[in-house]
């Protein structure tokens, strides 16, 4: 009998084991059993051949309609052409060889059904003619060699055949054979799930689940298997996260309770607007977190413009009042500069310690970036090390060894999705013995399930309401079939400029010099039909046209990631000061940039950006009391998927709805992000969008279990499964965060 960690070679022999190891990275019984079928076929159902993409390795169920052999002029050998069909479309199978030498010739004839496996290529006949999709030298296996009769025929037609993710040399049916050898020899030992959990949810046993997912007798059995296996994925992950939360909450940190009559009170008293209910609520949660002797671990999410920065600043002030320092880590230089400006601006005299006009309780704000001059940097480092600077704003440069804090009490990370966990750690390590409190801010609204898994070690606060009096943002698509709209776009910018307002124009590319830049956009280089398109519009190409032709006389500044940081800052400063009418930029302005006087956002080649990214960009306008206008310029045709995406963005300003849409269009791995890619491997069946309820229950039950038995001493089988997960993810997120 074989356990999950049994090497496959003991059951399948060295040769097969080697093929599985090199072809699919499967080494143990557990690896093979977790290589779940991608889908299931029935002999009665043929694969939709229209859905095949060039270059993909596929396995299809189809019926032979034609077999034709012919010799090739002036060449040795013989060509066998087989056509298979799904009842609508055709797929060609080509075999080269000697006449009479093919198994295909013997086994395939019109009416034969079979599984065919190979790489999809497209044959384009010279001199035109319809391109033909084909598999060259496919592997195949007839599945319905003869016509059976009556009930038997029906059963035969309905048998569920698993289709595995396969590669060349390891066809789906070969994997199936291996699984069928392994399954009967499986010895799983006691079920890792608590008895009570199994009963409560009516789950099938684990062995039954493995059988059901690999060789279901009917669809209901498959569904039961999937439910059980999904639960295990969710539950084990949530156990790991619950353990981490428990461990984190046991760590020591310095409590920074609110101090009366300090900076925070002075700041609140001087605020030009009332805080929203949400800001007050979240503010209270954070204040509470900060006043206990364990580190806060909180994610603050809120749509663009929801007022997260004020919330974070108030938290920072509470820590400064408590004698500590707060660091704000920004993902780009532009953002760090801007945070620095807006924080010093908001604090006014409260940030001018030791200066004339500075308030009595005042502190200082230091800025640390990679590009600042040696003198400025030395002063900043000094202020940080001595504790003179209560608030320190910076980019990754903050993580360098030379940056020493006097007493780091709070780390605020802006726009989490651009920071790896390592960075969070590096900063955390600067807090000396105790751990700093950590607040992570994100403007990409995170659906609950993602929050519960990817960010499962954080408590989540959400600012769901925008501050009152915020002007609306209208969004329009400027499509290829309405050229007048584009002319009108430039006219609108001129009109706004004439009234003293400002505009952004965003392009997907810098131009002139190629290459990635910080915060490179999700570029959709091919349209959804796979057709190559022209290169995206570039900043440096558009600039002369704007200057000479489209927006003559307007003051246009250029901002992109390849500019020296000083230039970037200078351009931003001039734009913020109203010395520029137009900022022509790449997506460096995506996050956080805040110029209330900017009213128009024009996005060129808008279809090349992701939905969330468009939403972020749009959030750069309508930030003051002036209404915002966002124009999505595209040459995507009506009815295309790109157009549907743009229409969706135009139709709602609900960031949560849009992030859901974005998520639906990406694969789970992308959602989890490169830094957390390791996590994706353990989520085989679980889909973050569809399994919300299951994930929620798993989280609840896992928390209860871990609170009662943190080390899982009472559930050794579960502890073993958890160890396996942690092992698999050793290089990933869980151990580092
Ligand atoms: P976020 O970082 O969430 O995108 P910000 O914190 O930058 O949003 O806030 C956006 C703008 O709204 C800023 O100009 C800020 O001063 C302003 N603001 C924040 N809170 C309020 C409020 N309660 N009432 C009015 N304006 C606010
Ligand atoms: Mg912000």
């Amino acid at each position: 009998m074989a356990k999950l960690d049994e090497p496959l070679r003991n059951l399948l022999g060295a040769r097969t084991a080697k093929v599985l190891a090199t072809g699919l990275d499967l080494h143990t019984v557990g690896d093979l059993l977790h290589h779940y079928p991608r889908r299931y076929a029935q002999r009665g159902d043929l694969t939709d051949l229209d859905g095949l993409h060039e270059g993909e390795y596929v396995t299809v169920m189809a019926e032979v309609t034609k077999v034709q052999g012919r010799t090739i002029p002036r060449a040795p050998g013989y060509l066998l052409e087989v056509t298979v069909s799904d009842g609508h479309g055709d797929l060609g199978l080509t075999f080269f060889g000697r006449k009479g030498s093919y198994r295909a010739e013997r086994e395939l004839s019109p009416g034969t059904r079979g599984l065919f496996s190979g790489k999809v290529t497209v044959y384009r006949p010279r001199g035109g003619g319809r391109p033909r999709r084909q598999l060259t030298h496919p592997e195949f296996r007839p599945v319905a060699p003869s016509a059976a009769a009556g009930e038997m025929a029906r059963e035969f037609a309905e048998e569920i055949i698993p289709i595995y993710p396969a590669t060349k040399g390891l066809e789906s049916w070969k994997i199936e054979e291996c699984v069928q050898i392994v399954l009967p020899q499986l010895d799983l030992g006691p079920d890792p799930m608590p008895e009570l959990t199994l009963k409560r949810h009516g789950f099938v046993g684990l062995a039954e689940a493995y059988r059901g997912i690999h060789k279901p007798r009917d669809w209901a059995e498959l569904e039961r298997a999937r439910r059980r296996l999904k639960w295990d994925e969710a539950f084990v992950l949530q156990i790991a996260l619950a353990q981490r939360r428990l461990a984190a909450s046991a760590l020591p940190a310095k409590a920074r309770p609110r101090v009366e009559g300090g900076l925070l009170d002075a700041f609140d008293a001087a605020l030009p607007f009332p805080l929203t209910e949400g800001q007050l609520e979240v503010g209270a949660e954070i204040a509470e977190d900060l006043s206990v002797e364990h580190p806060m671990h909180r994610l603050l999410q809120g749509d663009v413009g929801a007022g997260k920065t004020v919330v974070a600043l108030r938290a920072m002030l509470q820590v400064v009042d408590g004698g500590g320092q707060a660091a704000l880590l920004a993902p780009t230089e532009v953002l760090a500069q801007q945070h620095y400006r807006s924080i010093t601006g908001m604090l006014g005299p409260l940030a001018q310690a030791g200066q004339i006009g500075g308030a009595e309780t005042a502190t200082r704000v230091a800025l640390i970036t990679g590009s600042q001059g040696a003198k400025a940097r030395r002063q900043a480092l000094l202020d940080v090390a001595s504790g003179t600077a209560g608030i320190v704003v910076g980019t990754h440069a903050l993580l360098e060894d030379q940056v020493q804090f006097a007493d780091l009490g709070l780390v605020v990370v802006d726009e989490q999705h651009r920071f790896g966990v390592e960075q969070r750690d590096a900063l955390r390590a600067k807090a000396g013995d105790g751990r700093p409190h950590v607040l992570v801010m994100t403007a990409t609204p995170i659906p609950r399930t993602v929050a519960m898994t990817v960010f499962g070690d954080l408590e989540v606060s959400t600012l769901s309401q925008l501050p009152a009096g915020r002007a609306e943002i209208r969004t329009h698509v400027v499509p290829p079939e309405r050229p007048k709209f584009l002319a009108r776009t430039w006219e609108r910018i001129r009109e706004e400029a004439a009234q003293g307002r400002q505009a952004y124009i965003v392009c997907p590319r810098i131009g002139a010099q190629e290459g990635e830049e910080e915060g490179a956009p999700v570029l959709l280089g091919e349209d959804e039909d796979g057709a190559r398109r022209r290169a995206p519009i570039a900043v440096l190409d558009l600039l002369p046209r704007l200057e000479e032709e489209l927006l003559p006389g307007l003051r246009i500044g250029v901002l992109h990631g390849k500019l020296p940081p000083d230039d970037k800052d200078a351009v931003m400063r001039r734009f913020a000061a109203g010395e520029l009418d137009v900022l022509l930029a790449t997506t460096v302005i995506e996050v956080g940039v805040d110029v209330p006087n900017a009213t128009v956002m024009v996005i060129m080649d808008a279809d090349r950006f992701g939905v969330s990214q468009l939403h972020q960009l749009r959030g750069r306008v309508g930030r003051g009391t002036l209404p915002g206008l966002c124009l999505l310029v595209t040459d995507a045709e009506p009815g295309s998927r790109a157009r549907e995406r743009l229409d969706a963005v135009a139709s709602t300003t609900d960031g949560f709805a849009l992030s859901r849409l974005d998520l639906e269009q990406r694969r789970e791995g992308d959602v989890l992000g490169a830094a957390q890619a390791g996590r994706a491997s353990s989520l085989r069946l679980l889909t973050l969008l569809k399994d919300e309820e299951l994930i929620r229950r798993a989280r609840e039950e896992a928390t209860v279990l871990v609170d009662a038995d943190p080390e899982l001493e009472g559930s050794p089988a579960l502890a073993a499964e958890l160890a396996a997960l942690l092992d698999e993810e050793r290089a990933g997120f869980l151990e580092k965060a």
Side-chain angles (χ1 to χ4, degrees), residues 64-121:
V64 175
T65 52
K66 202 165 95 184
V67 179
Q68 196 173 35
R70 62 186 169 90
T71 52
I72 310 165
R74 287 182 302 280
Y78 178 74
L79 182 68
L80 184 69
E81 287 175 322
V82 176
T83 306
V84 298
S85 162
D86 61 1
H88 318 277
D90 285 345
L91 180 69
L93 313 177
T94 353
F95 303 86
F96 300 97
R98 271 184 305 117
K99 188 166 164 47
S101 71
Y102 305 102
R103 187 166 68 88
E105 219 169 3
R106 273 175 274 124
E107 294 184 11
L108 300 180
S109 56
T112 311
R113 283 196 173 188
L115 288 171
F116 303 91
S117 207
K119 197 163 153 186
V120 180
T121 56

Side-chain angles (χ1 to χ4, degrees), residues 554-633:
L554 296 197
R555 297 163 300 172
I556 303 174
V558 168
L559 183 67
H560 58 71
K562 282 269 151 63
L563 287 178
D566 279 355
D567 294 8
K568 273 194 248 176
D569 187 42
V571 172
M572 267 321 293
R573 215 190 286 271
R574 290 180 62 206
F575 189 70
E579 295 165 20
L580 295 170
D581 303 305
V582 175
L583 189 62
L584 174 60
T586 56
T587 51
V588 278
I589 61 152
E590 181 182 340
V591 274
V593 168
D594 190 8
V595 178
N597 191 47
T599 49
V600 181
M601 165 65 68
V602 177
I603 304 174
M604 307 301 295
D605 274 343
D607 48 291
R608 311 255 182 160
F609 298 93
V611 166
S612 292
Q613 215 172 6
L614 293 171
H615 182 62
Q616 293 284 321
L617 285 168
R618 166 170 65 183
R620 301 304 109 219
V621 294
R623 294 181 72 81
T625 48
L626 301 169
L629 176 65
C630 174
L631 298 169
L632 306 173
V633 181

Side-chain angles (χ1 to χ4, degrees), residues 206-257:
L206 198 51
E208 197 180 332
Y210 284 130
R211 262 171 221 123
I213 197 143
H214 287 289
K215 196 70 191 164
R217 274 167 300 203
D218 53 44
W219 299 110
E221 187 175 26
L222 174 62
E223 193 40 46
R224 285 194 296 273
R226 290 177 63 92
R227 258 190 82 222
R228 166 65 208 260
L229 293 169
K230 264 188 197 180
W231 171 267
D232 282 29
E233 282 179 18
F235 192 71
V236 176
L237 180 62
Q238 293 299 339
I239 289 275
L241 293 167
Q243 282 183 334
R244 295 247 336 262
R245 284 195 303 272
L246 193 69
S249 69
L251 291 168
K254 194 152 172 197
R256 316 275 182 178

Side-chain angles (χ1 to χ4, degrees), residues 250-431:
L251 291 168
K254 194 152 172 197
R256 316 275 182 178
R258 207 172 158 161
V259 175
E260 267 180 50
L263 275 169
L264 180 50
D265 281 351
F267 176 78
D268 281 350
L271 253 183
F273 45 73
L275 294 170
T276 64
E277 237 168 76
Q279 284 171 322
L280 286 169
E281 234 166 72
V282 172
E285 280 171 348
I286 294 173
E288 175 64 35
D289 283 358
L290 292 174
S291 50
V292 297
E293 293 185 320
H294 301 291
M296 169 172 78
H297 248 134
R298 192 170 282 278
L299 175 72
L300 171 57
Q301 60 168 333
D303 211 341
V304 183
K308 296 181 293 294
T309 314
V310 180
V311 171
L313 181 54
R314 293 183 69 247
M316 294 194 265
L317 293 174
Q318 178 170 335
V319 168
V320 176
D321 280 338
Q325 290 169 295
L328 171 57
L329 188 56
T332 65
E333 192 110 2
V334 170
L335 270 184
Q337 303 270 12
Q338 184 189 284
H339 272 308
Y340 176 75
R341 271 196 304 276
S342 73
I343 286 176
T344 45
M346 277 195 272
L347 290 176
L350 297 176
Q352 296 166 358
Q355 291 174 33
I356 299 166
E360 205 178 304
T361 46
T363 185
R364 258 198 238 166
V365 183
L367 175 69
I368 294 186
T369 69
S371 66
Q372 69 194 153
K375 188 156 163 258
R377 186 182 179 86
R378 209 171 317 122
Q379 184 59 49
L381 287 174
L382 219 60
D383 285 353
V384 177
S386 66
T388 314
I391 294 177
V392 186
V393 180
T395 56
H396 289 83
L398 269 185
L399 309 176
E400 287 162 20
D401 287 342
Q402 313 142 343
V403 184
Q404 297 291 338
F405 290 83
D407 181 8
L408 179 59
L410 169 67
V411 174
V412 179
V413 182
D414 192 12
E415 300 306 335
Q416 144 81 20
H417 56 294
R418 296 210 175 158
F419 279 108
V421 173
E422 293 85 356
Q423 279 100 344
R424 250 206 269 167
D425 273 4
L427 201 52
R428 201 182 261 163
K430 292 186 183 290

